[in-house]
């Protein structure tokens, strides 16, 4: 808090720009970002260790399941050797970490399978590289999450602002009722109804089917529109309520009164002064939701038949394909942590006091 | 006077919030260029009147009746658009808490420019230039650069100046200042009042000053309106009302104002043993480059039955010192001796208690006051519920509370009563020393007088040693035997009350005493002139020093002293 010090000249703007170390020690904006990024790395390490511990210590004979019900004990032993299930856990974990940075070679008994640098292992089931498997699914889930997020932010924040502004009037009551209904409805109900109505009865949209953005952007958006809308409707309700509560709080703040007392128009008071203060919790929640969508958009993916991460994860869990499960959760964790770090930085850009404390 | 020619004409203004009548048939007139003060204690309705002048009650559920005309506009009948046009160019308001009254997310200059552009159709550039111009006018040093700072990068005094600059940008005919100096230190308060005075001379705008502080009013206005319970008790020229009040309430109000020149009753009685002794106390916050000594080598002692006043402005380290004496903070260096014995280990010290500044936030709102008072008893191991209850009831009676209110919650009490609860809680564990941190600064003057009287009485009776930490020089003088003046973590002056107040040796003490508002308007004018001369001399001296190089403005740099809010914020973190 050098802010009110007698020599305030130094307190403005980034001061930690003298390379990494100074940035870390100093308080400035660069230092803040560097610290945040380091936080991401540390969190991921801890996460990987925990995942490894939890999943590989979990009960169940992995070799037996992987080999299949009709394997002989000798075959099971062979699989177990191949998967190095008898090695101590920590050597496998160190191998796993090394794989992430330098890649890994796996012997299949007859040959050698190379797994490239960010290697999360090979699928027990298909010998496919987990990294590759995930990378194939990320665009699908990413498209779904990104589009839904944009929609729910527009819908949710807009509704929230409007109902805070028009509090106590019929507009607000109607909006409150709608958002309540939204929160209370599960995604498969809204999605199903929409799908039957829009795709089935009215035939306005095709039944969703994933088309990569790079193939045909228009078809990509057109096919994803329905999943986006269904997800956004549910999420928007939550955001509307949060924005409304947060707006009511900032609208009651003293600085809002100041601008009212100077004849500033209500529109710019709401839009410029109240909304900006109200956005902090919205940013935080968005980061969480966007991140967790990578692991948790399962219902939506299943309902609309989208080959995303959620479906893959469920499949991997069912067949105890541990490398895939661990990799998936790592990637989901990565997105959650990353999204939160981005939110923190955004928040700091909006409000420099964050950096200082 | 013809109501159309006066700047403000209020007739029979009544404001009701639900069943509560906050303002009751208030009438007054303010001529163009005049200065009127609304003086009263909290809850007297003075701020409600001020808000009514700008029509700020519209849409809040308050019922406003009576007629209010400002600059010829009938506030009650004006359309929303007319009201917006009035707010700023005709009547501009400066609010009490300058930190919360500015938007934390935008640069100060941009906020002023936004307000300016609301009322004049000019380019962004021109508006920004205007904001720099007015910031410079109110004495913000290096205004072009500081206009880009956000409010939290300003000191309290600078924020208040920025708010005044915002008002000034619109060139209002009337400036409404609602407690403009309440959150500020005395030296900064004097600067702000001088600034308002200078602006009035320069622009000829009218001033409506809302304040609970009679001293502030005496310095700045021509006419005064004393309010109580929403009604006008007395009105007239400020010199007449303050020197010869007609109403009993005004007399009571004036009598309760602590004054640095009041006759003190000489305190007699033997002082006992030394209860606490501090030697070279030092406390740092932060690490490395940011390390900062909030208290930097303080030595003092307090005897049984004695009150040591610790006075200083915000950031001077007085609260940190108080907390170390209680053991809430551990010193970085130095020794503390209680009753001659070195302090053992860390943490709170038995037999030492604290009374906090804010009686609202220092009581748990979800516990009854009786339970709060009983806390220290339970903490030291008392288990006999009946004995505890009896003791709490005794304590409540002792501090002037009704023991039947044992089960009531803090919000059911007034500010003064809550502070009594705080005192009872401090007394519960039979302490030898009580450290009072700004115990009366959140209270009205009449309540203030009652609470300080209670403390003095308890001291006489129980032989308590008291450390009275406060920023108000007059209060400290009234309650203390000896005084320590603190600045930037050090004691700059230490002696008996008569020594420190009668013949201050340190220039800082003299500066503090010169900044205390005088109750007599004539004296106030004299002091203002003296302060101006001093500021001019200082400027001249500095100009000579720096050979006329472009240095910070005189008024701004004088504020360097309130830059040390740092320690407090770090401590809170």
């Amino acid at each position: 808090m050098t802010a009110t010090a007698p020599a305030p000249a130094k307190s403005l703007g980034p001061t930690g720009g003298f390379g990494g170390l100074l940035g870390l020690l100093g308080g400035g904006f660069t230092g803040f970002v560097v610290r945040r990024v380091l936080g991401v790395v540390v969190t991921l390490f801890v996460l990987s260790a925990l995942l490894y511990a939890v999943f590989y210590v979990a009960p169940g004979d992995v070799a037996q399941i992987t080999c299949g019900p009709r394997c002989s004990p000798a075959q099971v032993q062979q699989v177990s050797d191949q998967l190095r299930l008898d090695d101590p856990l920590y050597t496998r974990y160190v191998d796993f970490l090394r794989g992430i940075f330098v890649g890994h070679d796996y012997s299949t008994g007859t040959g050698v399978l190379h797994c490239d640098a960010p290697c999360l292992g090979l699928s027990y089931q298909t010998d496919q590289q987990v990294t590759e498997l995930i990378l194939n699914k990320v665009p699908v889930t990413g498209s779904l999450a990104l589009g839904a997020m944009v929609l729910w932010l527009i819908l949710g924040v807009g509704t929230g602002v409007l109902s805070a502004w028009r509090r106590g009037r019929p507009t607000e009551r109607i909006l409150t009722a709608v958002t309540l209904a939204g929160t209370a409805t599960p995604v498969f109900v809204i999605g199903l109804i929409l799908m039957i109505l829009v795709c089935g009865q009215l035939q306005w949209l095709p039944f969703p089917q994933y088309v990569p953005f790079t193939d045909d952007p228009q078809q990509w958006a057109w096919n994803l529109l329905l999943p986006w809308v269904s997800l956004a409707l549910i999420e928007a309700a939550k955001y509307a309520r949060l924005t409304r509560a947060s707006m009511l709080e900032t609208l009651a703040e003293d600085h809002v009164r100041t601008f009212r007392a100077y004849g500033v128009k209500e529109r710019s008071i709401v839009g410029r002064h109240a909304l900006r203060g109200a956005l902090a919790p919205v940013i935080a929640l968005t980061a969480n939701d966007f991140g967790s969508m990578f692991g948790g958009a399962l219902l939506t993916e299943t309902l609309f038949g989208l080959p995303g991460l959620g479906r893959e994860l469920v499949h991997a869990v069912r067949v105890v394909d541990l490398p895939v499960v661990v990799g998936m959760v790592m990637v989901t964790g990565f997105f959650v942590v990353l999204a939160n770090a981005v939110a923190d930085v955004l928040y700091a850009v909006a409000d420099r006091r964050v950096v200082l404390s | 006077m013809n109501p159309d020619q006066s700047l403000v004409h209020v007739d029979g203004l009544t404001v009701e919030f639900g069943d509560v009548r906050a303002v009751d048939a208030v009438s007054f007139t303010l001529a163009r260029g005049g200065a009127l003060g609304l003086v009263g204690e909290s809850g007297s309705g003075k701020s409600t009147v001020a808000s009514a002048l700008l029509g700020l009650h519209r849409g809040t559920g308050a019922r406003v009746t009576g007629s209010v005309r400002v600059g010829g506009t009938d506030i009650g009948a004006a359309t929303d658009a007319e009201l917006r046009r009035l707010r700023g160019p005709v009547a501009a308001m400066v609010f009490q808490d300058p930190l919360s009254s500015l938007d934390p997310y935008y640069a100060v200059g941009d906020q002023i420019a936004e307000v300016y552009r609301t009322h004049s159709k000019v380019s962004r550039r021109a508006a920004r230039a205007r904001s720099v111009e007015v910031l410079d006018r109110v004495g913000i040093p290096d205004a072009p650069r500081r206009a880009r700072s956000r409010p939290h990068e300003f000191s309290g005094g600078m924020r208040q100046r920025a708010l005044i600059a915002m008002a000034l940008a619109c060139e209002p005919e009337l400036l409404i200042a609602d407690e403009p100096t309440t959150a500020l230190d005395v030296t900064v308060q004097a600067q702000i009042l001088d600034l308002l005075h200078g602006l009035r001379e320069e622009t000829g705008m009218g001033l409506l000053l809302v304040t609970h502080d009679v001293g502030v009013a005496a310095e700045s206005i021509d006419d005064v309106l004393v309010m109580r319970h929403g009604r006008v008790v007395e009105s007239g020229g400020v010199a007449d009302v303050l020197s010869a009040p007609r109403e009993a309430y005004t007399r009571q109000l004036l009598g309760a104002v602590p004054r640095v020149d009041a006759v003190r009753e000489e305190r007699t009685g033997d002082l006992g043993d030394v209860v606490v002794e501090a030697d070279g106390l030092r406390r740092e916050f932060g690490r490395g480059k940011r390390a900062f000594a909030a208290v930097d080598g303080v030595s003092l002692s307090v005897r049984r039955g004695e009150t040591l006043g610790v006075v200083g402005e915000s950031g001077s380290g007085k609260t940190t010192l108080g907390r170390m004496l209680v053991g809430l903070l551990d010193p970085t260096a130095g020794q503390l001796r209680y009753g001659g014995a070195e302090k053992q280990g860390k943490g709170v010290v038995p037999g030492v208690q604290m009374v906090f500044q804010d009686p609202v936030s220092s009581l748990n709102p979800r516990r009854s006051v009786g339970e709060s008072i009983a806390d220290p008893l339970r903490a030291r191991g008392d288990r006999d519920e009946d004995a505890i209850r009896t003791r709490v009831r005794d304590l409540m009676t002792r501090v002037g509370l009704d023991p039947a209110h044992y089960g009531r919650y803090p919000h059911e009490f007034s500010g003064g009563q809550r502070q009594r609860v705080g005192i009872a809680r401090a007394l519960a564990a039979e302490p030898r020393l009580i450290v009072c941190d700004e115990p009366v600064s959140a209270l009205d003057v009449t309540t203030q007088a009652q609470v300080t009287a209670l403390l003095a009485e308890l001291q006489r009776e129980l032989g308590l040693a008291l450390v009275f930490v406060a920023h108000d020089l007059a209060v400290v003088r009234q309650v203390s035997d000896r005084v320590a003046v603190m600045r930037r973590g050090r004691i700059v002056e230490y002696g008996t009350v008569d020594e420190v107040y009668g013949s201050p040796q340190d220039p800082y003490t003299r500066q503090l005493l010169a900044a205390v508002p005088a109750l007599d308007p004539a004296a106030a004018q004299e002091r203002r002139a003296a302060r101006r001369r001093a500021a001019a001399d200082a400027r001249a001296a500095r100009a000579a020093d720096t050979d006329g190089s472009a240095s910070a403005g005189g008024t701004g740099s004088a504020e360097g002293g309130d830059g040390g809010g740092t320690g407090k914020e770090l401590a809170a973190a």
Side-chain angles (χ1 to χ4, degrees):
Chain A
M1 278 286 179
T2 53
T4 51
K10 295 265 163 65
S11 69
L12 251 179
T15 52
F18 310 103
L21 198 61
L22 254 183
L24 285 178
L25 298 172
F29 190 68
T30 319
F32 176 77
V33 174
V34 171
R35 276 197 304 273
R36 212 56 202 79
V37 170
L38 271 184
V40 170
V41 174
V42 171
T43 314
L44 287 178
F45 262 108
V46 174
L47 180 68
S48 71
L50 277 177
L51 281 176
Y52 222 81
V54 168
F55 282 106
Y56 285 89
V57 173
D61 190 343
V62 176
Q64 177 72 61
I65 298 170
T66 307
C67 189
R70 266 168 288 171
C71 283
S72 67
Q75 284 170 310
V76 171
Q77 187 54 46
Q78 198 185 345
V79 169
S80 180
D81 287 347
Q82 227 178 64
L83 301 180
R84 300 174 55 203
L85 291 175
D86 297 329
D87 288 7
L89 194 61
Y90 70 90
T91 53
R92 284 193 287 161
Y93 178 61
V94 171
D95 270 0
F96 171 74
L97 285 187
R98 189 185 300 142
I100 292 179
F101 292 106
V102 296
H104 207 289
D105 286 328
Y106 289 93
S107 85
T108 58
T110 51
V112 170
L113 267 180
H114 181 69
C115 174
D116 298 324
C119 173
L120 292 170
L122 299 181
S123 162
Y124 286 171
Q125 295 289 326
T126 61
D127 281 349
Q128 207 183 349
Q129 292 188 17
V130 173
T131 318
E132 199 178 291
L133 201 80
I134 291 173
L135 282 182
N136 285 337
K137 307 290 179 189
V138 164
V140 181
T141 306
S143 303
L144 180 65
L146 201 68
M149 181 184 76
V150 170
L151 268 184
W152 86 53
L153 280 179
I154 294 172
L155 271 175
V157 173
T159 313
V161 168
L162 205 64
S163 56
W165 192 356
R166 299 267 174 248
R167 64 191 171 282
R169 299 189 208 175
T171 327
E172 191 218 348
R173 273 179 224 132
I174 294 167
L175 287 175
T176 309
V178 171
T179 51
L180 250 179
T183 328
T185 320
V187 67
F188 50 86
V189 173
I190 284 200
L192 210 59
I193 293 176
L194 279 179
M195 197 147 63
I196 292 171
L197 210 68
V198 179
C199 307
Q201 299 272 317
L202 300 168
Q203 304 201 334
W204 286 347
L205 288 173
F207 279 100
Q209 191 183 7
Y210 184 68
V211 178
F213 181 78
T214 41
D215 289 6
D216 186 346
Q218 201 191 331
Q219 279 303 312
W220 170 81
W222 203 235
N223 273 287
L224 278 170
L225 190 58
L226 205 57
W228 284 343
V229 170
S230 326
L231 256 184
L233 280 179
I234 309 290
E235 293 288 327
K238 191 166 72 182
Y239 281 81
R241 296 178 73 75
L242 180 70
T243 310
R244 174 178 174 276
S246 185
M247 279 290 286
L248 287 181
E249 223 167 85
T250 49
L251 276 173
E253 274 173 19
D254 284 351
H255 66 260
V256 166
R257 180 191 61 182
T258 304
F259 290 99
R260 282 213 180 104
Y262 279 98
V264 174
K265 286 208 175 94
E266 199 63 18
R267 194 174 350 120
S268 83
I269 288 177
V270 169
R272 259 174 74 83
H273 299 287
L275 180 59
R276 183 142 179 197
L279 278 184
V282 176
I283 293 176
L285 187 68
T286 309
N288 253 321
D289 283 348
F290 181 74
S292 24
M293 204 124 281
F294 280 85
L298 166 75
L299 282 178
T300 320
E301 285 176 8
T302 312
L303 177 66
F304 294 105
L306 299 172
L309 287 168
R311 284 217 306 181
E312 187 63 33
L313 179 60
V314 169
H315 175 71
V317 169
R318 203 181 298 136
V319 298
V320 201
D321 199 344
L322 291 185
V324 179
V325 175
V326 169
M328 287 277 180
V329 180
M330 276 289 287
V331 168
T332 309
F334 172 73
F335 278 109
V336 172
V337 175
L338 186 74
N340 274 299
V342 170
D344 280 358
V345 172
L346 274 182
Y347 191 25
V349 170
D351 185 354
R352 283 292 168 88
R353 291 172 302 175
V354 171
V355 180
L356 292 166
S357 49
Chain B
M1 190 186 294
N2 181 343
D4 286 335
Q5 277 166 6
S6 56
L7 183 53
V8 180
H9 185 81
V10 174
D11 193 14
L13 173 68
T14 297
V15 183
E16 288 166 317
F17 300 101
D19 295 337
V20 183
R21 184 168 286 203
V23 175
D24 191 0
V26 167
S27 305
F28 63 88
T29 304
L30 173 60
R32 285 182 192 279
L36 174 73
L38 292 185
V39 176
E41 299 189 291
S42 50
S44 61
K46 54 193 192 305
S47 290
T48 313
V49 172
S51 297
L53 297 189
L54 288 176
L56 289 175
H57 294 302
R58 198 170 276 195
T60 61
R63 245 164 44 83
V64 183
T65 49
S67 124
V68 177
R69 296 183 76 85
V70 176
T73 308
D74 183 342
I75 301 297
T79 63
D80 285 355
E82 281 168 344
L83 263 188
R84 277 205 303 275
R85 281 197 293 276
L86 172 109
R87 294 172 180 175
V90 179
M93 191 140 172
V94 174
F95 292 97
Q96 171 171 7
D97 185 348
L99 178 56
S100 62
S101 297
L102 287 164
D103 190 329
Y105 296 106
Y106 293 97
V108 172
D110 290 348
Q111 300 187 43
I112 296 174
E114 181 185 355
V115 165
Y116 183 57
R117 260 164 67 83
T118 305
H119 297 291
S120 0
K121 298 288 155 253
V122 295
S123 67
R124 270 170 206 283
R125 241 186 129 79
R128 207 156 293 156
R130 173 73 178 159
S131 75
V132 171
E133 182 190 329
V134 288
L135 282 172
D136 186 58
R137 174 61 198 88
V138 297
I140 299 287
D142 196 8
R145 196 175 58 81
R146 296 301 281 171
R148 293 196 296 272
S149 303
R150 289 183 178 74
H152 72 274
E153 294 165 318
F154 273 22
S155 69
M158 283 166 74
R159 284 179 207 132
Q160 196 65 68
R161 284 170 195 274
L163 275 181
I164 294 173
M166 183 182 275
L168 207 58
C170 308
E171 294 177 332
E173 296 164 46
L174 169 67
L175 185 73
I176 304 170
D178 188 358
E179 302 274 11
T181 59
T182 303
L184 306 175
D185 287 323
V186 272
T187 50
V188 184
Q189 165 171 295
Q191 289 164 17
I192 295 292
L193 293 178
D194 291 350
L195 170 66
L196 285 176
H197 189 82
L199 289 175
R200 216 156 70 73
E201 280 180 348
E202 189 181 306
T203 64
M205 67 184 177
L207 174 69
L208 185 88
L209 180 74
V210 177
T211 180
H212 71 281
D213 188 332
V214 185
V216 167
E219 293 241 317
S220 320
I221 52 174
D222 310 328
D223 295 311
V224 66
L225 225 63
V226 180
M227 288 188 68
R228 187 192 197 190
H229 301 329
R231 292 168 173 276
V232 175
V233 175
E234 183 164 1
S235 64
V238 67
D240 298 338
V241 172
L242 296 190
S243 59
R246 290 190 307 274
E247 297 295 323
Y249 175 69
T250 316
R251 278 197 293 276
Q252 185 195 337
L253 191 66
L254 285 172
V257 174
R259 312 171 65 146
V260 279
D261 52 358
V263 182
R264 272 176 83 244
E265 64 175 284
E266 205 45 56
R267 298 169 51 123
T268 48
D270 294 330
L271 293 179
D273 313 328
V274 173
V275 173
V276 65
E277 202 173 358
D279 191 11
L281 272 194
R282 181 180 166 86
R283 170 72 202 202
E284 285 176 14
F285 292 106
R287 276 176 304 178
K289 258 197 308 190
R290 291 169 158 231
F292 158 84
V295 170
D296 189 6
V298 166
S299 303
L300 51 78
S301 67
V302 193
R303 292 167 172 279
R304 209 176 117 81
E306 180 191 40
T307 302
L308 173 70
V310 177
V311 66
E313 299 190 295
S314 46
S316 62
K318 55 190 194 303
T319 293
T320 307
L321 174 64
R323 285 173 175 252
M324 281 194 287
L325 292 178
V326 185
L328 283 173
L329 277 174
D330 289 309
T332 314
Q335 274 102 48
L336 271 170
R337 282 185 290 278
Y338 295 91
E342 191 94 3
K343 184 186 171 189
Q344 299 296 320
K346 296 189 165 193
V348 289
V349 185
V352 184
Q353 288 289 330
M354 193 155 188
V355 173
F356 297 91
Q357 170 173 16
D358 187 349
V360 183
S361 58
S362 59
L363 288 172
N364 185 341
R366 286 173 199 85
R367 283 168 72 84
S368 72
V369 296
E371 290 303 304
S372 283
I373 296 172
D375 277 342
L377 296 171
R378 300 223 163 90
R380 74 172 181 192
D382 290 14
R383 288 292 173 269
D384 182 352
E385 280 304 311
D386 288 339
I388 289 176
R389 283 189 164 253
T390 313
R391 169 94 177 119
V392 169
R393 292 219 160 85
D394 288 350
L395 285 165
M396 290 178 76
T397 315
R398 187 62 209 85
V399 298
L401 293 168
D402 184 349
H405 293 166
Y406 185 100
R408 293 206 178 177
Y409 289 86
H411 70 268
E412 297 175 79
F413 294 88
S414 69
Q417 285 173 324
R418 276 188 284 233
Q419 199 54 291
R420 285 169 193 271
V421 174
I423 292 171
R425 178 172 59 179
L427 286 175
E430 291 155 353
R432 286 163 291 150
L433 169 70
I434 298 184
V435 176
C436 308
D437 187 7
E438 298 274 10
V440 296
S441 61
L443 307 176
D444 286 321
V445 279
T446 46
T447 326
Q448 228 173 49
Q450 291 159 8
V451 171
T452 51
L454 171 66
L455 282 171
E457 203 181 305
L458 290 169
Q459 179 174 47
R460 265 200 305 279
E461 219 167 88
L462 305 171
L464 287 169
L466 288 177
V467 174
F468 195 98
V469 177
H471 70 282
D472 189 326
L473 287 109
V475 172
V476 168
R477 179 175 180 273
Q478 210 169 47
V479 302
S480 309
D481 301 301
R482 281 183 306 138
V483 179
V485 181
M486 284 193 75
R487 185 187 201 194
R488 295 182 188 167
R490 291 170 180 278
I491 291 182
V492 295
E493 187 141 6
Y494 187 42
T496 66
V497 167
D498 292 336
E499 285 163 9
V500 173
Y501 285 78
S503 52
Q505 299 301 310
D506 191 84
Y508 178 66
T509 315
R510 283 203 287 270
Q511 191 191 334
L512 274 183
L513 284 168
V516 174
L519 272 184
D520 172 10
Q525 267 178 19
E526 242 168 66
R527 295 168 136 228
R528 169 163 287 142
R531 281 200 300 267
R532 280 188 178 174
R533 276 196 304 278
D537 288 349
R539 247 196 314 274
R542 219 174 5 252
D545 265 4
T546 56
D547 203 18
S549 70
S551 67
T555 40
S557 57
E559 257 175 51
D562 71 0
T566 324
K568 207 164 286 169
E569 281 147 24
L570 279 171

